[in-house]
Amino acid sequence: MSIPTAPADALQAPYVPDGPYGIFVGGEEQPGDGTFDALNPSTGQPWAVVAEASSAQVDAAVATARTAFRTWRRSTLEERQLVLLAMADAIESVPDWPRLLATENGRPIREASAADVPFAAGVFRYYAGLVRGQHGDTIATGDPGARVFTVREPLGVIAALIPWNSPLISAALKLAPALATGNTVVLKPSEFAAPSVVELARRTAGAVPPGVVNVLTGVGPQTGALLVAHPEVAKISFTGGGVTARHIARAAAAHLTPALFELGGKSAFVVCADADLDAAVQDALSGILSQNGEVCFAASRLFVHEAVHAEFLERMRATIAEVRIGDALDPATQVGPLVSAAHRHRVRAYVEQARAEGANVLLGGGSPADLADRLTGGYYLEPALVDDPTGRSTAAREEIFGPVVVAQTWTDEADVIARANASEYGLAAGVWTSDLGRAHRMADALEAGTVWVNTWFQVPAGQPLGGVKQSGHGRELCAETLLEYSTQKAVSMRIDADRPRLWGRDG
Ligand code: NAD
């Protein structure tokens, strides 16, 4: 993923759904217990009505997935490959995805076009390829009469819960490996990005046997909480925030349900004095402005060597000042609105607090001037660059999940490594240098699931995604993910022709 170039098209109209979005169980869509409105963050206007699942519907979805599991677990490897490939094709065959995604969560349409759709389809194709690579082991025993081998088996019903920032990609990262290993899924999208996931279920319904993929829409602390507490769920696969993860871990404890957690980050971006500054500035901008900064991998902590600190920050400031903020549906927009009014309030409060704590807000944090009248109800915020040389502000420590970057300075390699690692998070980190030895040393020393060198957001299929510390555990987008969704069974047998009798008269 990287910031794409803007397509030449004109402003798009908001996506218009066919009707309300229902819950999707057993291959059929049905109304829920109640509904809620989805708001277009660019305007604040409602654009879709989404069903809220009842407690009985949560039970029914899990039961349906459980029934489908009996058949799907026995599907041939070829059947699984064909389903995953058909899902990829179904995603790509729909031209309206970028418009839907931009309407839904405010992601600029230029990114939704170039990143989300090909990436999501690519995830399904990647796992279609891996389906046939699954294998067990033969265990050496040293006993000529013993044969021991292992097979991998699916777990059952996977409860997959995903956030709102990249719903199509997050759904693909859960569904593809879970299906590849023979599980069935009940997928719970965020209340801020449910329509795209229901659309995914609708548009891939022809490719997937009924009941293998089910979607429950609703509010997290209700629908989500009921799902993760369900005794028939074999594993929880969660991507989201740490506070929610703790709720889920407590609910999972009741049935000892295993859980995979992909959580937040506060990623360190370390610029050395010998870095290619042009490239580093561009990557730092991508790192904090892509997806409006609402991305787990946001490069939100900059550590810039003292020798280049002033120049680096001035280049960032000058470029951020020129960023085009506007309607996510405008292909010229580089930064769109934040996902909700409450989230904008939260992000803005971090900038104000940083100022109150003595940091220097070089620019941003306010409402953009000269927005068109029709956008005044939208959730816009100017991207902020905060200079906080020693990193004492709250904004330098906590995940903000918005376009706010805090810059610190450094002079000593050991010191910057210690400061970069002094975070409760460990999702990603990066280093910009032209010194190969330093690149390797820092890659070794930085505590993160991913370390980028002279790049950011480079995530080809096969590269493990995941964190250490409070960024979670488990790895997605790689072959090892298949191990997260399967268990090992040992088959231990005796093959000797004559066996000593241990019991009875001659034993
Ligand atoms: P969130 O934790 O609020 O919600 C995530 C999901 O959990 C949603 O579907 C929500 O409805 C559900 N949920 C909320 N409360 C629940 C409860 N009590 N029980 C069960 N389910 C519940 O997160 P968010 O605001 O949607 O997303 C932002 C967070 O996600 C950030 O911290 C971000 O870093 C993280 N994230 C991580 C990755 C990754 O791969 N590591 C990717 C994207 C986002």
Side-chain angles (χ1 to χ4, degrees):
M1 278 185 283
S2 61
I3 281 220
T5 51
D9 304 342
L11 174 67
Q12 308 272 304
Y15 188 84
V16 181
D18 289 341
Y21 288 99
I23 66 169
F24 204 87
V25 176
E28 291 188 354
E29 206 169 326
Q30 48 183 266
D33 211 12
T35 59
F36 59 94
D37 283 339
L39 304 181
N40 174 353
S42 292
T43 60
Q45 294 299 310
W47 70 279
V49 175
V50 182
E52 195 155 0
S54 67
S55 161
Q57 285 174 314
V58 174
D59 288 344
V62 176
T64 302
R66 182 83 205 145
T67 303
F69 176 61
R70 286 191 208 118
T71 310
W72 181 247
R73 68 173 302 167
R74 305 278 169 225
S75 54
T76 66
L77 297 181
E78 186 175 10
E79 278 170 318
R80 290 183 205 172
Q81 285 185 302
L82 291 174
V83 164
L84 294 175
L85 292 172
M87 290 178 86
D89 291 346
I91 288 172
E92 281 180 344
S93 69
V94 181
D96 260 1
W97 273 122
R99 204 154 64 93
L100 166 57
L101 295 170
T103 306
E104 181 172 74
N105 69 4
R107 177 159 202 186
I109 197 165
R110 72 173 194 157
E111 293 180 18
S113 314
D116 295 49
V117 177
F119 194 99
V123 170
F124 282 103
R125 294 205 177 98
Y126 172 70
Y127 281 106
L130 286 186
V131 164
R132 284 179 187 274
Q134 300 178 80
H135 59 82
D137 291 315
T138 304
I139 311 299
T141 65
D143 175 351
R147 285 289 181 277
V148 179
F149 62 93
T150 64
V151 289
R152 296 217 64 96
E153 297 195 329
L155 303 175
V157 177
I158 306 298
L161 298 100
I162 57 173
W164 47 262
N165 61 324
S166 295
L168 194 57
I169 292 174
S170 294
L173 287 172
K174 301 292 183 207
L175 290 174
L179 268 48
T181 38
N183 303 281
T184 56
V185 179
V186 178
L187 182 58
K188 155 75 183 77
S190 163
E191 46 274 49
F192 294 104
S196 59
V197 178
V198 179
E199 290 275 8
L200 177 67
R202 284 178 184 171
R203 294 167 187 204
T204 56
V208 187
V212 171
V213 174
N214 308 277
V215 177
L216 285 176
T217 55
V219 178
Q222 284 145 37
T223 309
L226 287 168
L227 178 60
V228 295
H230 201 290
E232 294 285 330
V233 164
K235 184 160 185 173
I236 298 162
S237 180
F238 174 76
T239 300
V243 172
T244 312
R246 284 169 180 76
H247 284 298
I248 290 175
R250 280 191 285 273
H255 304 291
L256 298 178
T257 312
L260 181 165
F261 288 123
E262 302 286 351
L263 309 178
K266 189 74 186 176
S267 298
F269 184 114
V270 181
V271 182
C272 302
D274 60 2
D276 172 344
L277 279 203
D278 284 338
V281 167
Q282 280 296 309
D283 281 347
L285 291 163
S286 293
I288 197 62
L289 299 178
S290 295
Q291 286 193 251
N292 310 325
E294 297 169 317
V295 55
C296 54
F297 286 121
S300 51
R301 284 192 301 153
L302 276 183
F303 292 88
V304 187
H305 193 278
E306 198 177 40
V308 291
H309 178 255
E311 184 182 354
F312 194 92
L313 261 58
E314 176 46 29
R315 288 201 205 181
M316 288 217 35
R317 194 204 59 73
T319 315
I320 292 174
E322 291 169 352
V323 158
R324 292 188 300 273
I325 304 170
D327 191 332
L329 286 150
D330 185 342
T333 291
Q334 294 173 317
V335 171
L338 298 187
V339 73
S340 68
H343 189 54
R344 177 182 54 178
H345 178 77
R346 186 178 163 276
V347 174
R348 192 199 299 250
Y350 272 109
V351 181
E352 283 161 11
Q353 189 176 355
R355 193 179 275 120
E357 289 168 346
N360 186 9
V361 179
L362 297 177
L363 88 166
S367 299
D370 32 282
L371 280 173
D373 283 351
R374 66 186 181 79
L375 303 182
T376 50
Y379 316 130
Y380 299 94
L381 185 75
E382 289 173 322
L385 174 61
V386 179
D387 189 13
D388 179 10
T390 53
R392 294 221 177 85
S393 62
T394 308
R397 290 192 313 275
E398 297 186 4
E399 184 184 44
I400 298 176
F401 216 59
V404 179
V405 59
V406 181
Q408 307 182 30
T409 49
W410 64 279
T411 50
D412 174 70
E413 187 177 310
D415 174 59
V416 76
I417 289 168
R419 285 160 64 197
N421 288 342
S423 169
E424 66 189 39
Y425 293 109
L427 194 57
V431 54
W432 272 256
T433 180
S434 50
D435 178 333
L436 186 62
R438 187 196 296 271
H440 277 286
R441 282 195 305 276
M442 293 188 82
D444 279 351
L446 289 166
E447 295 170 358
T450 300
V451 175
W452 281 300
V453 177
N454 296 333
T455 186
W456 197 265
F457 282 137
Q458 175 171 288
V459 190
Q463 176 177 315
L465 290 187
V468 297
K469 301 195 273 187
Q470 300 206 19
S471 292
H473 50 77
R475 292 293 179 267
E476 294 192 316
L477 195 63
C478 59
E480 287 74 10
T481 316
L482 299 176
L483 305 181
E484 304 277 2
Y485 291 103
S486 59
T487 188
Q488 200 174 35
K489 178 185 275 179
V491 180
S492 186
M493 52 173 70
R494 293 226 59 89
I495 59 165
D496 24 24
D498 299 312
R499 295 184 51 182
R501 289 170 66 92
L502 296 179
W503 304 99
R505 270 197 209 126
D506 53 350

